[in-house]
Amino acid sequence: MTSRSIAGPEIERLIQLLAKLPGLGPRSARRAALHLIKKKDQLLVPLAEAMGVAVANVGLCSVCGTVDTKDPCTICSDPRRDASTIVVVEDVADLWALERAAALNCRYHVLGGTLSPLDGIGPDDLNIAGLVDRVSQGGVSEVILAVNATVEGQTTAHFVTDRLAGFDVKVTRLAHGVPVGGELDYLDEGTLAQALKARTAF
Ligand code: ZN
C-alpha cells in the first residue's frame, strides 16, 4: 500500500516541522497543526508574525551569551540587577529555570555546553574566555557555578574554577537539592532556590 497524504504539501510540511519540536511526536504535531489551522486568526497568524520578528531579531548576547532580541540582552542591560554576582550556566534553558526560581537578582553567563573530550568539545568551544574577560574587568565579587551535577558539568566547573584562580573573586557552586546526574531544567523552583541559597565555596 502506498502512503497517502491527508492534506496538501503545505500542511504536511507544517506537521513535519512541528513534529521536530521537543515533546511533540507526529501524533501531537498533527493535533497542533490542526489546532493552529482551525484558530487561524487567533493563533496561526499571530504565531507566524511572532516567528517572523524572532527570525529577524534574535541572536546571542555579546556579554553573557544568552538568546535575546537585543544586544546586550535584557538581563545584561537591566541596571537593577546586581552586576557583582554572575551565575554560570551550561545552557539558556538553565538560565530560564533559575530565573523561574527567582532566588537571586543577578547577572548570568551561558557557557553553551560542557567540556566533553569524547565529543571533541574543548575549552575553546565554550564561552569560557568571555567569562574570564568579564571577571578580569573587575566589579565581580562572586561567580556561582550552576552547572548540572553530571561528570561533564563538574569537570567543566573545575576547569572554570582554575581559570578564575588568579582573580579576586569568590567561586561557589550549587549545593543541596541538585540530585547527582540531575539536570537543572527539570528541577522545581523550590529545589532550585534551595540549591542556590545553600551554595558552597568551590
Ligand atoms: Zn546578556
Side-chain angles (χ1 to χ4, degrees):
M1 194 181 99
T2 55
S3 72
R4 294 184 299 182
S5 296
I6 53 166
E10 300 83 2
I11 292 175
E12 293 282 1
R13 176 152 172 78
L14 180 60
I15 294 169
Q16 279 168 14
L17 289 171
L18 286 170
K20 292 183 196 292
L21 292 174
L24 286 194
R27 187 190 157 100
S28 32
R30 279 196 297 275
R31 276 168 53 195
L34 186 56
H35 189 72
L36 286 167
I37 291 163
K38 281 181 174 172
K39 304 252 176 205
K40 185 178 171 184
D41 292 336
Q42 305 101 304
L43 219 48
L44 186 57
V45 172
L47 182 67
E49 284 170 2
M51 283 183 159
V53 172
V55 166
N57 296 293
V58 87
L60 296 184
C61 173
S62 58
V63 179
C64 73
T66 195
V67 292
D68 206 343
T69 49
K70 63 178 190 172
D71 184 18
C73 72
T74 305
I75 291 174
C76 286
S77 56
D78 184 350
R80 291 164 302 180
R81 284 177 180 267
D82 175 15
S84 71
T85 303
I86 296 178
V87 176
V88 177
V89 293
E90 292 174 18
D91 193 79
V92 177
D94 301 325
L95 186 163
W96 287 359
L98 288 166
E99 277 295 294
R100 284 203 308 274
L104 288 176
N105 181 40
C106 60
R107 301 280 173 91
Y108 291 91
H109 195 84
V110 181
L111 293 176
T114 46
L115 294 174
S116 181
L118 286 177
D119 299 316
I121 300 173
D124 293 342
D125 299 308
L126 304 178
N127 190 13
I128 295 175
L131 175 65
V132 176
D133 238 32
R134 289 176 75 181
V135 172
S136 72
Q137 286 165 21
V140 180
S141 60
E142 182 175 5
V143 170
I144 303 171
L145 300 172
V147 292
N148 290 329
T150 55
V151 173
E152 292 83 7
Q154 296 310 303
T155 304
T156 308
H158 279 288
F159 184 86
V160 170
T161 304
D162 283 348
R163 292 293 309 273
L164 296 177
F167 300 99
D168 183 25
V169 63
K170 185 166 73 169
V171 180
T172 56
R173 62 194 288 188
L174 299 186
H176 310 291
V178 181
V180 173
E183 297 193 15
L184 299 185
D185 192 24
Y186 291 98
L187 296 181
D188 63 277
E189 286 81 356
T191 305
L192 271 174
Q194 185 73 30
L196 270 174
K197 284 187 192 123
R199 64 189 183 272
T200 57
F202 196 70

